[in-house]
C-alpha cells in the first residue's frame, strides 16, 4: 500500500493549505477556480509522491484499470469536489463534526479504491511506507485534529474559530504526546505521565486555554497514532 500512503501524504499536505477560513471564503466567492486550484495542486503533489508507479495501470474506483495519470486526475477532481461540498453545503444543527468525518471518510475510501495495492502482495505489509505513515500521522495529529476538535466544540457550544496562537500551542502539545510514544522501550510511559501532568497544570492555571475534551481527545488520539507509527516501524 505504498501508493495509498503516499497519496494520503499529498491529501493532508493539501489539507494544511486549504483547511482555513481565508481559503474557504475564497472558495465561496470563486467556487470554480477554487476547485481547479485544489485539483491541480493535489495532482501535482500526488504525481511527485507516486512518480515511480506512474507507469502502472491504477484501478479507478476499484473497477476500471486506467493509466495512472488519468486515475490520479480523477482522484484530484474528487478531492476538490469533496471539499466544495464541505464549503457550500451547510450542515444541520450540531452536525459540523459529522460532516467533517464524512468528508474525510469519503476521501480515504476513494483514494484506497484508486490506489494500486501491488506492494501489499509483494511485502505482506499494509503499512509498507513507514515514513509516509509517519508524515500522515504528524499532519493528522496537528492540523486535522485541530479542525475536528473545533468542529466538535462548534456542535457543543458554538465556539468561535480558535486564534492562531491557541491552534499552535495545542498542536504542539499533541505533537509532543505523539513523539513521546515513539521513544524506545518503556521510558515513553514516564515522559507521557510527566507531559500529561504538565498539560493538566497548565490547563488548570489557564496557561493552556483549552476544553477538557480537547485535552483528552488530543492526548488519546496522538497516543493511538503514535502506536500505529511504532507498529509500522517494527514491521520493516
Amino acid at each position: 500500500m505504498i501508493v495509498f500512503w503516499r497519496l494520503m501524504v499529498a491529501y493532508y499536505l493539501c489539507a494544511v493549505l486549504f483547511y482555513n477560513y481565508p481559503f474557504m471564503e475564497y472558495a465561496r466567492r470563486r467556487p470554480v477556480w477554487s476547485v481547479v486550484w485544489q485539483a491541480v495542486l493535489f495532482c501535482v503533489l500526488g504525481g511527485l509522491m507516486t512518480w515511480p508507479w506512474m507507469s502502472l495501470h491504477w484501478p479507478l474506483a476499484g473497477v476500471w484499470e486506467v493509466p495512472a495519470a488519468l486515475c490520479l486526475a480523477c482522484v484530484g477532481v474528487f478531492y476538490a469536489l469533496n471539499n466544495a461540498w464541505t464549503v457550500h453545503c451547510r450542515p444541520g444543527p450540531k452536525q459540523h463534526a459529522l460532516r467533517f468525518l464524512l468528508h474525510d471518510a469519503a476521501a480515504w475510501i476513494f483514494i484506497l479504491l484508486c490506489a494500486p495495492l501491488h506492494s501489499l502482495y509483494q511485502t505482506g505489509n499494509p503499512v509498507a511506507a513507514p515514513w509516509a505513515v509517519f508524515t500522515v500521522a504528524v499532519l493528522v495529529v496537528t492540523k486535522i485534529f485541530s479542525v475536528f476538535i473545533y468542529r466538535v466544540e462548534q456542535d457543543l457550544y458554538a465556539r468561535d474559530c480558535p486564534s492562531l496562537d491557541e491552534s499552535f500551542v495545542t498542536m504542539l502539545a499533541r505533537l509532543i504526546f505523539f513523539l513521546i510514544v515513539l521513544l524506545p522501550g518503556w521510558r515513553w510511559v514516564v515522559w507521557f505521565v510527566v507531559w500529561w501532568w504538565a498539560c493538566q497544570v497548565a490547563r488548570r492555571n489557564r496557561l493552556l486555554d483549552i476544553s477538557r475534551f480537547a485535552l483528552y481527545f488530543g492526548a488519546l488520539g496522538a497516543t493511538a497514532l503514535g502506536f500505529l507509527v511504532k507498529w509500522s516501524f517494527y514491521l520493516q
Side-chain angles (χ1 to χ4, degrees):
M1 297 178 72
I2 293 175
V3 174
F4 168 74
W5 287 110
R6 287 179 176 233
L7 287 175
M8 293 311 301
V9 172
Y11 173 75
Y12 282 121
L13 285 175
C14 289
V16 169
L17 296 175
F18 298 133
Y19 276 171
N20 56 71
Y21 270 103
F23 185 82
M24 287 185 178
E25 289 301 317
Y26 171 79
R28 290 188 181 96
R29 296 194 309 270
R30 302 290 176 88
V32 175
W33 278 110
S34 68
V35 168
V36 171
W37 287 123
Q38 291 177 86
V40 168
L41 182 60
F42 179 87
C43 289
V44 170
L45 290 177
L48 292 174
M49 290 288 176
T50 60
W51 182 255
W53 295 272
M54 292 300 289
S55 60
L56 300 175
H57 278 67
W58 292 11
L60 179 59
V63 179
W64 304 281
E65 291 286 332
V66 299
L70 175 59
C71 189
L72 182 61
C74 292
V75 175
V77 171
F78 178 86
Y79 163 76
L81 293 177
N82 193 31
N83 284 354
W85 168 74
T86 303
V87 171
H88 296 290
C89 294
R90 300 193 172 209
K94 300 188 180 302
Q95 292 182 354
H96 294 88
L98 176 61
R99 185 180 65 168
F100 178 78
L101 290 176
L102 291 175
H103 166 270
D104 254 32
W108 275 75
I109 292 170
F110 192 76
I111 291 174
L112 180 62
L113 290 175
C114 292
L117 303 181
H118 299 77
S119 62
L120 177 62
Y121 306 131
Q122 294 169 2
T123 65
N125 180 1
V127 285
W131 72 266
V133 177
F134 174 82
T135 305
V136 168
V138 169
L139 294 172
V140 170
V141 165
T142 53
K143 178 65 176 181
I144 305 307
F145 277 9
S146 290
V147 178
F148 178 69
I149 290 170
Y150 164 58
R151 296 303 187 190
V152 171
E153 292 179 341
Q154 259 189 314
D155 291 340
L156 293 177
Y157 46 86
R159 74 154 295 170
D160 295 329
C161 184
S163 65
L164 185 60
D165 291 344
E166 179 185 345
S167 296
F168 177 78
V169 171
T170 53
M171 283 192 292
L172 182 60
R174 290 192 300 272
L175 182 60
I176 292 174
F177 276 118
F178 170 76
L179 295 176
I180 284 174
V181 176
L182 300 183
L183 291 173
W186 290 98
R187 71 186 68 176
W188 72 269
V189 177
V190 176
W191 287 108
F192 184 92
V193 171
V194 170
W195 186 240
W196 174 262
W197 173 82
C199 289
Q200 289 280 25
V201 171
R203 179 177 175 274
R204 193 177 305 120
N205 295 325
R206 310 298 291 178
L207 298 175
L208 190 61
D209 190 14
I210 61 174
S211 67
R212 182 173 297 177
F213 169 78
L215 177 59
Y216 281 59
F217 176 83
L220 293 176
T223 302
L225 289 181
F227 278 117
L228 173 63
V229 172
K230 214 171 192 179
W231 177 58
S232 72
F233 288 155
Y234 286 144
L235 285 178
Q236 300 311 303

